[in-house]
Amino acid sequence: MTEDYNADIAHHCNAYRPPLHQLILAKCLKPGAVYGNGLDIGSGTGQSSIALADFCEKVTGVEPNKEMLMQAIDYPSVSYVHFDGKKLPFTDSSFDIITFAGSLFYARSLGMLDEVVRVCQPKATIIAYDFEVLFQQLPFGFDLPVEAVDYDHRTNFSGLEMNGLRETNSFVSDYQLTVSTEELGHLLLSARSFYEYFAERYASSEPFVLLVKELSNHANTHSIDARLYATNYIVSKK
């Protein structure tokens, strides 16, 4: 969960993330749902934690990457904690809802599942979700690197022995985003492989300005497609 990020990548992640976290959570949760204590595992720079805060009285984001935590966004009802990626630093039955926003692929293990169930209240909600921006469909002639074939946006807890956890719903759906040139630049540079591609393309270790200039030659706003993935669980422990 840590090796794909450094300060440059964290900066672009923080500068702009599409409002898909809120959209996915709204699709997963009942209208008007409000939870007491929420936990966002793999919180990055806090975008997903802030989205969860719309549905909680307070949220804790936990993140193993210190570069991400250094750039985490301040938000009144959200706090951030560093953790080792294995042991959640909380007492039993602490949370009413837990989310994994694009982080479960890296964190998925029976040990993590046991930890999640341990820190959840009985009947707590767990949501594993992700989204995929379909950059390969962009009409700019970029020869973008293909995402690692072993990464799976659909990753959930299926296949593990789910003692204390029951799946209640899942979905895959498509969504179209309209973004500015600067926002698209930040999105592209928030992936390490793309950052390296554009750094080489422009012979610059800071390719953002040159990327935005090239994108602006095409248009000032851009429509891009995204695919949304989510699986809901309920904690069934007593």
Side-chain angles (χ1 to χ4, degrees):
M1 201 187 300
T2 63
E3 67 273 13
D4 287 338
Y5 299 105
N6 59 22
D8 292 325
I9 306 303
H11 165 74
H12 292 290
C13 285
N14 197 19
Y16 175 71
R17 300 305 289 166
L20 298 177
H21 296 285
Q22 295 92 332
L23 179 67
I24 294 170
L25 290 175
K27 289 170 69 70
C28 289
L29 299 173
K30 294 179 180 179
V34 178
Y35 296 84
N37 202 9
L39 177 65
D40 182 33
I41 299 178
S43 55
T45 62
Q47 303 279 358
S48 52
S49 301
I50 292 170
L52 181 58
D54 287 344
F55 303 91
C56 297
E57 294 175 3
K58 62 179 180 177
V59 170
T60 303
V62 293
E63 170 60 44
N65 187 284
K66 293 181 179 179
E67 295 281 4
M68 286 290 188
L69 282 176
M70 288 175 61
Q71 299 196 43
I73 305 164
D74 289 335
Y75 197 78
S77 59
V78 177
S79 60
Y80 302 100
V81 175
H82 182 259
F83 87 123
D84 63 6
K86 298 178 181 179
K87 178 74 172 178
L88 293 171
F90 308 105
T91 58
D92 295 357
S93 302
S94 295
F95 297 98
D96 305 296
I97 183 170
I98 290 181
T99 54
F100 291 85
S103 59
L104 187 57
F105 178 82
Y106 304 101
R108 184 181 184 274
S109 68
L110 185 57
M112 177 55 69
L113 175 56
D114 289 343
E115 278 291 281
V116 166
V117 172
R118 178 184 68 80
V119 301
C120 272
Q121 293 274 4
K123 298 185 179 180
T125 296
I126 298 171
I127 305 173
Y129 73 92
D130 201 356
F131 58 83
E132 176 183 12
V133 180
L134 304 178
F135 291 115
Q136 301 295 340
Q137 296 180 6
L138 291 174
F140 306 128
F142 297 142
D143 186 20
L144 296 174
V146 177
E147 186 174 51
V149 294
D150 62 340
Y151 186 86
D152 187 359
H153 294 277
R154 295 177 175 82
T155 297
N156 55 31
F157 287 114
S158 296
L160 297 179
E161 187 175 348
M162 291 195 291
N163 292 328
L165 201 65
R166 176 171 57 86
E167 182 178 330
T168 59
N169 186 42
S170 66
F171 69 83
V172 178
S173 64
D174 291 339
Y175 185 78
Q176 189 171 78
L177 289 161
T178 299
V179 298
S180 70
T181 296
E182 290 77 11
E183 289 168 343
L184 181 54
H186 287 305
L187 274 177
L188 285 164
L189 296 176
S190 65
R192 174 180 286 278
S193 61
F194 291 175
Y195 192 100
E196 292 174 347
Y197 167 79
F198 287 110
E200 182 176 350
R201 180 182 181 90
Y202 303 124
S204 171
S205 61
E206 297 182 355
F208 178 72
V209 172
L210 293 171
L211 172 58
V212 167
K213 182 178 179 181
E214 183 171 359
L215 292 172
S216 297
N217 292 333
H218 297 271
N220 292 322
T221 60
H222 311 272
S223 294
I224 55 176
D225 294 322
R227 190 155 293 145
L228 318 179
Y229 308 85
T231 305
N232 278 41
Y233 298 92
I234 189 168
V235 175
S236 56
K237 72 177 184 180
K238 296 180 179 180

